[in-house]
Amino acid sequence: MQSRKTIFLLMIIPLMGMVAFSQNFLNKQRGELSVAYLEPLRNADPLVKFTSEALGGFRGVIATALWMRINNLQLEGKFLEMVQLSEWITKLQPHTPTVWTDRAWNLAYNVSVKETDVEKRYKWVMAGISLLRDEAIQYNPHEPLLYWELAWQFKHKMGQDMDSAHRIYKRKWINEMTTNIWPSVKACVDSEGRPDWDSLLDPKTDEEKARVRRLIRDYKLNPRKMKAVDDQFGTVEVVNTKGEVVKDENGDPVTRQIGLEWRLPETQAIYWAYMGIQKSRENTARREMVKKLRRVIFQSMALSCGRGRLMVNPFTPNLERAYLRGVAMRYGPRLDFIPQVDKEYVVALEEARKNQYLHPGGIDTISTYRTAHHNFLRQATRDLYMYNRVEESQYWFKKLVNLYPDKVRWYIGYDTETKTMDWEVFVMSELEDDFKRSGRDTMNTLLMGLISTAYYYLAMGEDDQALGQIRMSQQFIAYYNERRKDSDTSSAGGRVDLDSWKNLHDQALKDVLVGMDKAKPEMAAALRERLGLKAGEVPQPGLPNLMNPYRTKESDRATDGDIPDS
């Protein structure tokens, strides 16, 4: 019996040696043949490496038991208790993508909303993002699902307004990017949010090198990749005032570089979706997921069209402090992205028609894209009008009517006999939705707000938006009073008379200058300079010629007939 045990022991030793010898070969084959999602662990955390080697096949058994416990906790709404168990599973199964995505979603969406303290809530959201960016992708660099989930959390959780604390998330993220991409808040403001690519790609000073190290180490942002993304998605086709693409002598579209807004989360979504496409290009088994990454890119660009530009007021007192508190800036649309995003929608629709595939939930993809494209054109028409880009607004409105007559026929102003739609009636009815529940005093206040904002934009050099605000206030009051004639003013819900536009304008301009003189004297001086006024001078009644949206560019003088007298 003793000799038999000795023989068995002697056989075990060479067998273990053979296993050790063949392990590297098997690992290599597993990576090449994609039996698992990816190649074996490299540079792994010691605990991950230990559990992988020591537990062997028992990892699956333990992970299954943990998954069952997590599912029960989720049904009970005990999300905090799930955090530790999820971490154990990621140690046991680091190559299983859903382990990471489930854990990241739980942190960013479930655990975060349990916090009433917005500072702690932001930390939980960032914990979910960091888990995907700093750990999951490092273990699974070619798995598109992880890039998609990371891009989605930037776009949806932080970029959109689904969370009540979304403004806090944006402000904190803007501050982080500002202090790491630029040497100071002032440098960021002076450059109008455009990174100095030369200093990021070839840092020379210690300060520049430290910033680049932080970007790579803390945010996994590679400046060279950032520049490639900026070049590819920040380059737009030039359009004329009618919204038509300008061509060169060879018939090719003329392009110009406007760049992305790297302070906003939707740009991070574009960056990580782009990285996922690059890394997953050879992962043919996950081709459908790569398509979803492309979708995230144009969805994020569509988001930028509506609110992808930060306009900082350089006249704000204590600018740096106000900037970091989020009170020195406004969000504005990036209207130059409209043709690019429209093109992406068209491509997506063509691809959907070709494949005729369905979403997992059974929702028709073509119908979903049509609705999204319709809403995009609707918003583009309104935004361009608000920026006084009238001919471009009309161009996209015509496209809206031609592509979606089935939807347009339900709008206010649609003529059922001629099957036509009036552009300005459409825009005004869209705006009226924001006013219709307001009383007379509130509506007058809102109109004065539009006029006041116009003069703030003028002082900041945002002339297009300034003129757009004036035009919108003028047209709305004329439109409103015209429609009032057809309503029953004696009824409880009848419409009310508004003050004349000229009276509202004169009072608003006076209030703006008084307020600026007290709080922002530099801005008041800049506005007076734009209006041709001397220091302390009070403007004459009436609309300054510079602010007449109907004034042609060839003429410096507008006639009284250009301005609605309402």
Side-chain angles (χ1 to χ4, degrees):
M1 181 65 71
Q2 187 66 32
S3 61
R4 189 176 296 178
K5 289 181 178 179
T6 303
I7 291 172
F8 286 154
L9 287 171
L10 291 173
M11 291 176 63
I12 287 172
I13 293 172
L15 287 172
M16 290 181 67
M18 291 174 64
V19 169
F21 178 78
S22 63
Q23 188 65 47
N24 287 336
F25 174 76
L26 291 173
N27 286 342
K28 182 180 179 183
Q29 288 292 98
R30 183 175 65 167
E32 291 175 355
L33 299 175
S34 297
V35 176
Y37 277 111
L38 297 163
E39 61 274 1
L41 292 175
R42 292 190 178 90
N43 301 320
D45 180 271
L47 181 57
V48 176
K49 193 146 182 116
F50 172 77
T51 55
S52 300
E53 301 293 339
L55 296 178
F58 287 104
R59 284 184 298 154
V61 177
I62 298 171
T64 300
L66 291 174
W67 272 117
M68 293 172 65
R69 176 59 180 154
I70 282 177
N71 288 336
N72 290 332
L73 289 172
Q74 185 166 4
L75 291 173
E76 296 168 8
K78 297 178 178 178
F79 301 116
L80 280 169
E81 289 88 333
M82 291 169 58
V83 173
Q84 185 61 59
L85 295 183
S86 299
E87 184 177 355
W88 290 348
I89 294 180
T90 57
K91 304 300 184 188
L92 292 167
Q93 296 181 317
H95 280 331
T96 304
T98 51
V99 170
W100 297 99
T101 56
D102 285 3
R103 183 180 164 200
W105 180 275
N106 184 49
L107 291 169
Y109 283 83
N110 295 328
V111 178
S112 67
V113 297
K114 296 285 185 181
E115 289 286 356
T116 55
D117 184 334
V118 292
E119 297 288 337
K120 292 180 180 178
R121 184 182 287 195
Y122 177 72
K123 288 180 180 178
W124 283 115
V125 172
M126 286 308 302
I129 287 174
S130 299
L131 180 72
L132 293 166
R133 182 189 64 200
D134 303 343
E135 296 184 55
I137 288 176
Q138 306 311 309
Y139 290 128
N140 306 274
H142 305 295
E143 174 49 58
L145 175 62
L146 298 174
Y147 292 95
W148 181 86
E149 183 66 38
L150 177 57
W152 177 261
Q153 291 199 15
F154 270 116
K155 181 185 83 73
H156 183 265
K157 183 67 177 179
M158 195 181 292
Q160 292 181 304
D161 57 0
M162 304 299 180
D163 191 312
S164 60
H166 72 94
R167 290 184 180 86
I168 306 296
Y169 304 157
K170 290 183 180 69
R171 174 171 62 81
K172 287 183 167 294
W173 183 258
I174 288 169
N175 291 346
E176 287 189 40
M177 289 296 97
T178 299
T179 53
N180 284 285
I181 295 178
W182 291 269
S184 65
V185 169
K186 185 178 184 303
C188 176
V189 174
D190 289 346
S191 67
E192 297 183 342
R194 296 294 300 130
D196 179 4
W197 294 114
D198 290 338
S199 66
L200 292 175
L201 296 175
D202 185 22
K204 291 183 169 57
T205 68
D206 291 341
E207 187 276 333
E208 290 173 349
K209 292 175 182 177
R211 273 190 291 121
V212 171
R213 279 197 300 270
R214 288 198 303 271
L215 282 173
I216 296 172
R217 182 192 63 219
D218 299 341
Y219 301 98
K220 304 298 183 286
L221 292 173
N222 183 321
R224 296 194 182 280
K225 296 293 184 183
M226 290 171 65
K227 180 67 164 60
V229 170
D230 197 79
D231 288 343
Q232 182 170 338
F233 300 105
T235 301
V236 298
E237 294 178 343
V238 176
V239 296
N240 59 24
T241 56
K242 296 181 180 179
E244 301 163 339
V245 176
V246 177
K247 304 287 183 67
D248 61 18
E249 60 274 9
N250 298 320
D252 298 322
V254 177
T255 61
R256 68 187 180 95
Q257 174 71 15
I258 61 173
L260 298 173
E261 178 50 85
W262 284 94
R263 291 170 289 181
L264 291 179
E266 50 264 35
T267 302
Q268 296 296 311
I270 294 172
Y271 176 87
W272 287 108
Y274 170 86
M275 292 297 292
I277 292 170
Q278 299 300 310
K279 293 286 187 179
S280 309
R281 211 177 302 176
E282 305 302 323
N283 194 345
T284 55
R286 308 288 283 159
R287 195 169 291 161
E288 288 302 314
M289 184 54 67
V290 174
K291 288 180 182 178
K292 290 184 71 175
L293 288 170
R294 293 195 185 97
R295 234 171 283 160
V296 169
I297 290 176
F298 82 74
Q299 288 169 350
S300 299
M301 291 184 68
L303 188 61
S304 289
C305 275
R307 196 229 57 232
R309 182 163 170 252
L310 287 178
M311 297 178 290
V312 180
N313 181 358
F315 303 104
T316 305
N318 300 315
L319 178 59
E320 182 168 350
R321 182 170 178 271
Y323 180 99
L324 296 175
R325 289 174 54 221
V327 297
M329 64 185 74
R330 294 173 182 263
Y331 294 98
R334 295 175 74 82
L335 300 177
D336 292 326
F337 274 173
I338 290 175
Q340 198 82 350
V341 177
D342 178 68
K343 186 184 295 183
E344 293 290 344
Y345 269 115
V346 171
V347 171
L349 277 164
E350 289 176 354
E351 185 178 305
R353 290 191 186 97
K354 190 183 300 180
N355 296 328
Q356 291 290 313
Y357 57 83
L358 300 178
H359 278 309
I363 303 172
D364 183 9
T365 303
I366 296 176
S367 175
T368 303
Y369 280 174
R370 275 176 54 83
T371 300
H373 190 212
H374 160 257
N375 290 334
F376 168 74
L377 293 175
R378 188 174 172 175
Q379 185 67 39
T381 300
R382 177 175 170 173
D383 286 348
L384 286 164
Y385 180 91
M386 290 174 66
Y387 272 72
N388 205 43
R389 292 165 67 162
V390 174
E391 290 182 313
E392 289 178 69
S393 175
Q394 291 171 334
Y395 172 86
W396 292 104
F397 177 70
K398 288 176 184 175
K399 188 164 188 173
L400 169 68
V401 172
N402 292 334
L403 289 177
Y404 301 104
D406 55 321
K407 298 180 183 295
V408 172
R409 63 191 294 265
W410 300 105
Y411 292 163
I412 295 173
Y414 180 78
D415 190 322
T416 54
E417 293 183 3
T418 62
K419 295 184 179 180
T420 58
M421 177 79 191
D422 184 272
W423 159 73
E424 200 140 37
V425 170
F426 165 77
V427 176
M428 288 300 106
S429 64
E430 289 279 295
L431 182 62
E432 186 184 20
D433 289 340
D434 298 335
F435 287 82
K436 62 184 177 183
R437 293 183 180 86
S438 303
R440 177 181 184 277
D441 292 338
T442 303
M443 293 186 74
N444 283 332
T445 300
L446 291 171
L447 286 168
M448 286 183 66
L450 286 174
I451 298 167
S452 299
T453 304
Y455 283 102
Y456 273 87
Y457 282 128
L458 182 68
M460 293 165 60
E462 299 285 342
D463 291 27
D464 283 347
Q465 189 157 2
L467 294 171
Q469 299 280 103
I470 292 292
R471 181 189 182 96
M472 188 162 55
S473 65
Q474 290 175 340
Q475 290 301 321
F476 178 75
I477 200 169
Y479 168 81
Y480 180 90
N481 287 333
E482 180 65 28
R483 291 201 62 195
R484 186 183 64 81
K485 296 176 184 177
D486 302 325
S487 66
D488 181 9
T489 55
S490 64
S491 65
R495 296 171 183 267
V496 294
D497 286 323
L498 299 177
D499 288 348
S500 75
W501 187 88
K502 288 181 178 178
N503 289 342
L504 290 171
H505 167 269
D506 293 346
Q507 185 61 49
L509 178 54
K510 179 182 175 182
D511 292 346
V512 164
L513 282 170
V514 169
M516 283 185 182
D517 283 335
K518 291 180 179 178
K520 301 173 182 177
E522 290 183 5
M523 194 173 194
L527 178 58
R528 282 193 171 89
E529 183 178 349
R530 295 297 311 274
L531 296 175
L533 301 174
K534 297 177 182 179
E537 185 179 354
V538 178
Q540 295 295 316
L543 180 70
N545 185 58
L546 179 66
M547 290 294 278
N548 182 1
Y550 303 92
R551 175 173 57 88
T552 60
K553 293 183 178 179
E554 290 77 17
S555 172
D556 287 330
R557 197 171 71 85
T559 64
D560 292 339
D562 290 325
I563 305 170
D565 185 15
S566 301

